[in-house]
Amino acid sequence: VILGKAYVLSGNDKYCKEFVSQLNSWFDANPPKRGINWCSSLELSFRSIAWIWTYHLFGGATNLPQDFPDKFFSFLNIQAEHIEHNLSIYYSPNTHLTGEALGLFYIGTVFQGLNGAERWLERGRDILLQCIDEHILPDGGYMERSLWYHRYTIDFFIHFYLLARLNNVPLPSKVEDKILQLAEFLMYTAGPDRHFPLIGDDDGGRLLPIDHLEGNDLKGLFCTLSVIFKRGDFKYLSGGYQEETLWLLGPDSKVVYDNIEEQEPALFSKGFKETGYYFMRNDWSEKANYLAFN
């Protein structure tokens, strides 16, 4: 994805050549169903999403070598089928399962000409809609009580929501409601530096590397959320317009962001009974006293 971003910003073909070289090398080293890189369906899903983004950042088949798209789509098709038949329903039916469902939804939505695309779209959507009820507690916390996996979860559902909206895939209103619940929980986790504390399991990863921020830095996420939901309290936590929002929502999002009136979140302290987390501060400044209690 970094190569794709560099190409968009510079127009230099060397990034396109490097992308093709790296993927061809990967194709040769990882024949379908063989080796460590076919063991985790979540890895296949994240890889597919990164490939899809990069393919489009390079302008698709018009800017890539003539023989490359066939190989690209062949591997993408095999990965989708592998994810479909090896979902984490019995092992890690948490962020593994929702991440895999998002991968199916991405492939089925963006490349509707592939055999199986309609099935993958529907399967991914159905799993995500089921999990959005089962994984998010009544107070907006994530069921595993891991703040890092809470971040994964909100990223998954933001991508799901935006992709569906762009491609006219109908979603129930509960998707927006649940994203807001997840966001409002995260808002109160934010320390004075706008990072959430590392409580619970974390693997240091991100769904997609589209900015330079650390995974527990909330500024980019809340910039994006402020534009989607026109919320001044979300903008307050963003620390200015962020790169993540540019790539996810496009350059017009800057105008929307600038027109949102910034305001502090309503409370200094808040408890989340079902999740078991309590967050306290004396103000919302960058010099605030802050306590996160699990």
Side-chain angles (χ1 to χ4, degrees), residues 157-177:
F157 284 107
I158 287 172
H159 280 244
F160 176 47
Y161 171 75
L162 293 176
L163 198 58
R165 192 170 70 176
L166 284 169
N167 291 276
N168 299 312
V169 178
L171 296 179
S173 60
K174 71 176 180 181
V175 175
E176 281 194 8
D177 296 340

Side-chain angles (χ1 to χ4, degrees), residues 240-252:
Y241 185 73
Q242 300 291 336
E243 183 183 6
E244 173 187 314
T245 310
L246 172 68
W247 294 108
L248 275 178
L249 302 179
D252 292 344

Side-chain angles (χ1 to χ4, degrees), residues 208-243:
L208 200 65
I210 54 174
D211 65 19
H212 64 286
L213 301 178
E214 297 173 332
N216 67 324
D217 189 328
L218 294 169
K219 291 191 288 290
L221 173 65
F222 275 104
C223 181
T224 299
L225 288 165
S226 72
V227 174
I228 294 173
F229 294 108
K230 314 296 189 298
R231 290 268 300 255
D233 52 351
F234 292 166
K235 181 177 180 178
Y236 185 86
L237 295 183
S238 66
Y241 185 73
Q242 300 291 336
E243 183 183 6

Side-chain angles (χ1 to χ4, degrees), residues 65-106:
Q66 191 172 359
D67 61 342
F68 181 78
D70 284 346
K71 190 182 294 186
F72 176 85
F73 284 114
S74 175
F75 268 83
L76 198 63
N77 196 92
I78 292 167
Q79 290 188 148
E81 289 183 348
H82 186 93
I83 296 166
E84 179 186 17
H85 295 292
N86 295 276
L87 290 163
S88 296
I89 293 169
Y90 305 104
Y91 172 78
S92 296
N94 39 42
T95 48
H96 280 246
L97 182 58
T98 48
E100 292 156 11
L102 181 65
L104 289 178
F105 188 75
Y106 250 102

Side-chain angles (χ1 to χ4, degrees), residues 126 219 255 264:
D126 291 348
K219 291 191 288 290
V255 177
E264 283 190 6

